[in-house]
């Protein structure tokens, strides 16, 4: 059982609080227990007209395996309470992961645990975070950053991407995809995807490109080239490649490779197919090719991955 604490600070943003509470909801199919806590038990004034009645105080951080810190009001002006900083540091020293959603990154920054690491926050606050905490390598052009024991994400919607990323690491691709379907969310957006595209006159290709990515996911076993994808999107290969990188943070072929590896992960988890058969099914040709890319992207082998996450069909 994985233990999740959601730390609600004064002015906490409703979506930021609700996302991890719902993704990791306590239910029979999910091996998680969730506690929503504050500095102390009782009423916490939230943001946007909502308040929260929490049953637990900071002692929940000593219980949790992962602590989520939702965004809160005036993070660039007000320091989090010293008790909060000490509790976060203590949880981290005990081995818990710390994950910030949006401006919750400021609370993690106050602990010093982000010093020397990459981190992100809501695009509106990235410059303020960099100015206030100069030792943090702030990346304003990503949805989330995974630094293993400390994770940060951009605005509220990217908090969902971060939670699904954590779920994928804990339980595998199949469980994450199941949760995404339950939440009617995109099953996977890479952390490297841009928060927003700074374009004065948006090109009307968003839905078109999304449709092409969806189509590609259903044709991974077939030859997929830049020309093939561009033809499906009805644009030139040059336009497709440029816009794809802006929208996802990956080149088209990098994205296809990661999609193939993700599909291979799901087949390793849920089927008894051989590595050779899976390689052919996902468009990687041979088991040797699958093993090479699997090791490069995930740092492990298909066999070891199956041993860790296999559930059978």
């Amino acid at each position: 059982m994985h233990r999740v604490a959601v730390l609600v600070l004064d002015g906490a943003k409703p979506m930021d609080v609700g996302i991890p509470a719902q993704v990791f909801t306590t239910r029979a199919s999910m091996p998680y227990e969730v506690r929503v806590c504050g500095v102390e038990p009782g009423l916490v004034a939230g943001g946007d007209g909502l308040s929260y009645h929490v049953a637990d105080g900071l002692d929940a951080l000593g219980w949790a395996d992962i602590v989520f810190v939702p965004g809160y009001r005036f993070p660039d002006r007000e320091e989090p309470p010293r008790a909060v900083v000490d509790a976060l540091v203590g949880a981290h020293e005990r081995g818990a992961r710390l994950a910030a959603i949006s401006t919750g990154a400021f609370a993690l920054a106050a602990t010093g645990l982000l010093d020397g690491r990459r981190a992100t926050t809501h695009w509106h606050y990235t410059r303020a975070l960099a100015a206030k905490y100069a030792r943090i390598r702030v990346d304003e052009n990503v949805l989330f950053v995974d630094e293993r024991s400390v994770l940060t994400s951009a605005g509220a919607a990217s908090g969902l991407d971060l939670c699904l990323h954590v779920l994928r690491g804990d339980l595998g691709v199949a469980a994450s995809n199941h949760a995404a379907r339950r939440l009617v969310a995109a099953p996977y957006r890479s952390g490297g995807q841009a928060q927003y595209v700074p374009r004065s006159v948006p090109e009307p290709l968003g839905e078109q490109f999304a449709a092409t990515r969806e189509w590609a996911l259903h044709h991974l076993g077939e030859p997929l080239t830049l020309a093939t994808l561009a033809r499906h999107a009805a644009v030139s290969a040059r336009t497709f490649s440029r816009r794809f990188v802006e929208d996802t943070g990956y080149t088209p072929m990098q994205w296809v490779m990661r999609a193939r590896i993700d599909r291979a992960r799901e087949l390793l988890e849920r089927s008894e197919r051989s590595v050779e058969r899976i390689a052919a099914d996902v468009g990687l040709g041979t088991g040797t090719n699958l093993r090479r890319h699997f090791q490069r992207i995930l740092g492990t082998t298909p066999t070891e991955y199956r041993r860790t996450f296999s559930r059978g069909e």
Side-chain angles (χ1 to χ4, degrees):
M1 180 68 69
H2 300 271
R3 296 169 295 189
V4 178
V6 182
L7 175 59
V8 180
L9 301 177
D10 284 344
K13 302 297 183 180
M15 282 187 66
D16 295 3
V17 174
I19 286 169
Q22 187 166 4
V23 170
F24 300 101
T25 182
T26 303
R27 60 171 62 202
S29 61
M30 293 281 284
Y32 291 92
E33 182 180 350
V34 180
R35 295 184 185 178
V36 181
C37 64
V39 176
E40 56 187 25
L43 192 67
V44 180
D48 303 313
L50 295 181
S51 296
Y52 312 90
H53 195 282
V54 300
D56 293 283
L58 292 175
D59 56 327
L61 274 61
W63 160 87
D65 300 314
I66 183 167
V67 178
F68 282 91
V69 185
Y72 56 95
R73 186 171 44 230
F74 307 137
D76 54 338
R77 297 187 229 165
E78 301 176 2
E79 295 288 336
R82 187 70 234 175
V84 168
V85 173
D86 291 343
L88 289 170
V89 171
H92 184 266
E93 289 177 346
R94 192 179 46 78
R97 290 170 290 171
L98 306 181
I101 296 178
S102 188
T103 55
F106 281 80
L108 294 194
T111 67
L113 295 171
L114 292 178
D115 289 356
R117 301 176 188 256
R118 284 179 64 238
T120 194
T121 188
H122 190 285
W123 64 265
H124 185 74
Y125 285 93
T126 50
R127 290 186 180 180
L129 182 64
K132 189 170 184 178
Y133 299 100
R135 296 186 63 187
I136 299 174
R137 293 182 286 123
V138 178
D139 191 339
E140 63 181 4
N141 294 315
V142 294
L143 294 179
F144 61 84
V145 175
D146 182 347
E147 288 280 309
R148 296 184 180 275
S149 62
V150 285
L151 305 92
T152 52
S153 67
S158 60
L160 178 55
D161 298 310
L162 175 62
C163 288
L164 291 174
H165 171 75
V166 169
L167 188 58
R168 286 159 64 89
D170 286 352
L171 304 182
V173 174
S176 176
N177 288 349
H178 176 76
R181 286 192 294 270
R182 176 169 54 83
L183 296 165
V184 197
Y188 182 62
R189 293 197 300 169
S190 72
Q193 185 165 330
Q195 292 194 36
Y196 67 99
V197 180
R199 190 179 296 117
S200 57
V201 181
E203 298 175 49
L205 296 175
E207 291 186 6
Q208 208 170 326
F209 275 41
T212 295
R213 290 196 294 270
E214 182 67 22
W215 174 83
L217 290 175
H218 292 284
H219 294 81
L220 292 175
E222 304 171 15
L224 291 176
T225 65
L226 174 59
T228 302
L229 297 172
R231 187 163 52 249
H232 184 275
V235 296
S236 71
R238 182 176 179 180
T239 295
F240 185 83
S241 184
R242 174 176 58 82
R243 281 294 310 277
F244 201 94
V245 171
E246 291 175 346
D247 289 349
T248 69
Y250 290 124
T251 68
M253 292 301 95
Q254 286 173 336
W255 182 88
V256 168
M257 178 58 69
R258 279 163 170 75
R260 283 172 166 156
I261 292 298
D262 276 355
R263 178 56 179 154
R265 289 169 68 179
E266 189 165 12
L267 291 173
L268 287 166
E269 293 168 20
R270 306 189 68 174
S271 78
E272 297 298 325
R273 298 180 203 181
S274 69
V275 170
E276 292 289 340
R277 169 70 185 281
I278 289 174
D281 289 344
V282 303
L284 287 175
T286 67
T288 299
N289 204 27
L290 173 60
R291 291 183 187 94
R292 179 165 59 87
H293 290 294
F294 214 87
Q295 182 71 46
R296 178 176 61 84
I297 292 173
L298 299 177
T300 188
T301 66
T303 300
E304 184 61 33
Y305 185 88
R306 169 172 270 164
R307 186 178 297 121
T308 303
F309 291 106
S310 178
R311 292 169 179 78
E313 289 190 316

